[in-house]
Amino acid sequence: MPVFAPPAADRLGVVLQKTPLDALHRRLGARMVEFAGYEMPLQYQGIIAEHQACRTSAALFDVSHMGQVEIADPAGLERLVPGDIAGLKPGRQRYTLLLNEAGGIIDDLMVANLGTRLQAVLNAGRKAVDVAHMRAHGLEVTTRFERALLAVQGPQAAEILPEAAGLKFMDAAPLDVAGIPCIVTRSGYTGEDGFEIGCAGEQGETLAGALLARGAVPAGLGARDSLRLEAGLCLYGNDITEQTSPVVAQLNFALSKKRLAAGNFMGAAAINQQLANGVETLLVGIRLEDRAPARAGAEIQHGRARVGEVTSGCFAPTLQAPIALGYVAAACAAPGTALQLIVRGKPLTGIVTALPFVPHNYVR
Amino acid sequence: MTQVFFSKDHEWIALGDDGLATVGITSHAQNALGDIVFVELPEIGRNVATGESCAVVESVKAASDIYAPLSGTVAEVNQAIMDEPGLVNSGAEDAGWFLKLRLADVAAVSTLMDRAAYDQYLSTLA
């Protein structure tokens, strides 16, 4: 599971980074925790209330720990990802994956075509690895790690952000929000309609203040995790790693047929071989029958044999039931399959469930 | 008058007139845990030693063990918090109690803190 340890001020030599919104979080009474080397808000008034705010109105998340980078050369990026980047039209964004030669996932990222350049948003814990990997393969990458990145998510997001109401899901555009120059995409990590809004770091707090004044509810990493899990979205480091491929993670939608046929990206041979021959394990959603959650690391059994392990698990506030993601033997991956998840030595029944657990609510 | 004692693990224990000691977690503990969504309680009749894990609480994000503040035998558990775990958040030091113990040694409460000492202890946890 994600490391949500309290800030380790007493840990010698560890200096946690702060986002441009750090002072605002403290004024709002956030409980701060360490995540991916940053001090981040875990929650303000409570995970469940913040989760519900996102599902029913609009929540504001600080995701400035994620890495914004600019890339001038789409063809260069295409050599490292299985997605169609050359075919990404100006003003559009796409989810893609940096892969290693074995087809393992170095990171998952959003890439937007801003007309003059590409913008990519990288996971906080992976940005140094990603940039080194891209540069080692001849890509010119301009880091914009000092920028702020906010997410407004929920059915009322477009009312909070009327400036961006003309965008559709996965559109991207430079826009002024509350008079601040921003790069806005209509996307997110909650399954709800919403926007991610990048701006200069020094203007981040002003932007956040404007969005809060319009009625967005501040929400922390705790709600972000339960929301993304309900939406069936993978968390890098838990559900996908360098040891898992997009085929076993069931991210085939991110594999361009054209690019697979051409085979001209790192990891293509391994991915094509997995698609042709099948794989031994698959990432599945599991809904538990009782109230006890199964967490990352819990063993998964079928019959009495070990068939896999949970990679993410939480109590889903929307469903009022525990849910999990985990890798299981391919023979046990069909929806409806009953599995046993071992929690504190006891088997809990879980049923393989098609993802997402909670339907997406995107504006296309 | 009921006497209440506190452990460094943020459990409270109240000595009742019936010879049973009621155990729960403190208001500070429930606040630190956040929204509680599941509670697992021990079997009645189980013997627990001081410091032994005797219950589990799950918040949205994580599981935490609850430790027996003193040794004894589990005489009763609070079914209400299994049905409605949020009671632990809303009433940690009353309706959200966990279990009742028949203490092995009532005098052992002297190893615990009283309210004033616990409040002082909390103030040292920055």
Side-chain angles (χ1 to χ4, degrees):
Chain A
M1 65 178 286
V3 180
F4 284 148
D10 57 341
R11 209 189 296 164
L12 279 175
V14 176
V15 178
L16 295 177
Q17 300 188 71
K18 298 174 190 304
T19 78
L21 273 63
D22 188 78
L24 178 64
H25 298 317
R26 292 167 199 278
R27 281 205 305 281
L28 291 170
R31 180 174 305 167
M32 304 298 285
V33 294
E34 176 183 359
F35 181 73
Y38 282 79
E39 275 189 73
M40 296 296 293
L42 174 67
Q43 63 172 63
Y44 304 84
Q45 86 246 45
I47 292 175
I48 291 179
E50 292 162 26
H51 181 110
Q52 308 291 22
C54 182
R55 288 274 180 255
T56 59
S57 56
L60 176 70
F61 301 86
D62 177 14
V63 289
S64 305
H65 59 314
M66 300 186 77
Q68 298 172 70
V69 301
E70 291 173 2
I71 298 165
D73 174 17
L77 181 59
E78 270 211 335
R79 293 197 301 271
L80 303 178
V81 303
D84 181 358
I85 303 302
L88 183 64
K89 294 189 174 69
R92 291 291 291 164
Q93 179 172 254
R94 175 160 286 156
Y95 174 83
T96 195
L97 305 158
L98 286 169
L99 299 180
N100 62 30
E101 288 287 6
I105 301 171
I106 295 170
D107 200 3
D108 64 339
L109 61 157
M110 288 287 200
V111 177
N113 183 346
L114 299 179
T116 56
R117 63 196 187 281
L118 300 175
Q119 172 188 270
V121 179
L122 313 172
N123 279 304
R126 299 300 286 175
K127 53 193 180 187
V129 170
D130 295 352
V131 169
H133 173 71
M134 290 190 278
R135 286 179 175 158
H137 291 87
L139 212 51
E140 268 187 53
V141 182
T142 307
T143 62
R144 294 280 184 247
F145 295 163
E146 75 290 353
R147 282 171 67 82
L149 188 64
L150 307 184
V152 176
Q153 300 279 299
Q156 291 173 10
E159 291 158 47
I160 301 291
L161 208 68
E163 293 96 333
L167 303 181
K168 299 289 186 205
F169 182 60
M170 296 298 253
D171 282 350
L175 289 170
D176 282 6
V177 177
I180 295 168
C182 297
I183 293 169
V184 182
T185 66
R186 195 160 195 166
S187 62
Y189 192 48
T190 61
E192 294 298 326
D193 182 26
F195 305 91
E196 291 191 348
I197 312 152
C199 74
E202 59 271 23
Q203 292 184 294
E205 189 172 327
T206 307
L207 178 62
L211 297 169
L212 292 172
R214 294 176 185 185
V217 175
L221 288 184
R224 188 169 161 80
D225 192 53
S226 54
L227 288 158
R228 69 92 192 170
L229 198 43
E230 286 186 346
L233 302 173
C234 289
L235 174 65
Y236 193 90
N238 273 46
D239 312 310
I240 50 178
T241 68
E242 292 205 37
Q243 280 69 51
T244 61
S245 77
V247 182
V248 297
Q250 307 235 53
L251 296 173
N252 296 15
F253 72 91
L255 305 173
S256 156
K257 289 202 172 63
K258 189 178 87 181
R259 306 282 332 276
L260 287 169
N264 57 356
F265 60 90
M266 187 176 288
I271 298 292
N272 276 319
Q273 194 250 338
Q274 289 182 15
L275 289 169
N277 300 342
V279 289
E280 291 182 358
T281 63
L282 289 168
L283 185 69
V284 296
I286 301 166
R287 184 166 169 161
L288 284 85
E289 292 197 329
D290 293 321
R291 280 188 69 95
R295 309 290 183 177
E299 179 177 343
I300 303 174
Q301 296 182 352
H302 185 254
R304 282 186 184 164
R306 180 190 177 96
V307 294
E309 190 175 302
V310 171
T311 51
S312 288
C314 78
F315 186 83
T318 304
L319 303 171
Q320 287 293 301
I323 55 174
L325 293 176
Y327 284 94
V328 299
C332 301
T337 306
L339 301 171
Q340 286 76 46
L341 284 65
I342 310 303
V343 175
R344 294 182 284 276
K346 282 177 246 170
L348 307 179
T349 299
I351 306 294
V352 177
T353 304
L355 297 174
F357 295 104
V358 172
H360 294 162
N361 190 22
Y362 302 140
V363 174
R364 294 181 191 274
Chain B
M1 186 175 155
T2 311
Q3 285 183 286
V4 186
F5 299 88
F6 299 86
S7 76
K8 287 190 173 179
D9 295 322
H10 308 286
E11 285 94 22
W12 56 265
I13 184 162
L15 301 181
D17 297 335
D18 52 3
L20 297 180
T22 306
V23 176
I25 66 171
T26 65
S27 186
H28 169 86
Q30 70 75 24
N31 184 54
L33 290 167
D35 296 319
I36 291 166
V37 296
F38 174 80
V39 183
E40 185 175 289
L41 294 172
E43 301 273 312
I44 289 171
R46 184 178 139 192
N47 292 313
V48 295
T50 306
E52 183 181 341
S53 173
C54 63
V56 177
V57 293
E58 300 258 9
S59 65
V60 179
K61 282 233 52 74
S64 305
D65 285 310
I66 303 303
Y67 302 104
L70 293 173
S71 56
T73 305
V74 178
E76 201 176 322
V77 296
N78 188 1
Q79 180 67 37
I81 62 169
M82 291 196 274
D83 299 337
E84 195 185 339
L87 275 179
V88 180
N89 290 118
S90 61
E93 297 187 19
D94 47 71
W97 61 275
F98 277 57
L99 51 93
K100 294 190 181 184
L101 286 178
R102 188 166 299 285
L103 294 180
D105 173 16
V106 176
V109 296
S110 65
T111 63
L112 300 172
M113 292 174 277
D114 63 12
R115 171 79 67 183
Y118 179 66
D119 287 345
Q120 171 65 27
Y121 170 67
L122 285 183
S123 72
T124 66
L125 308 174

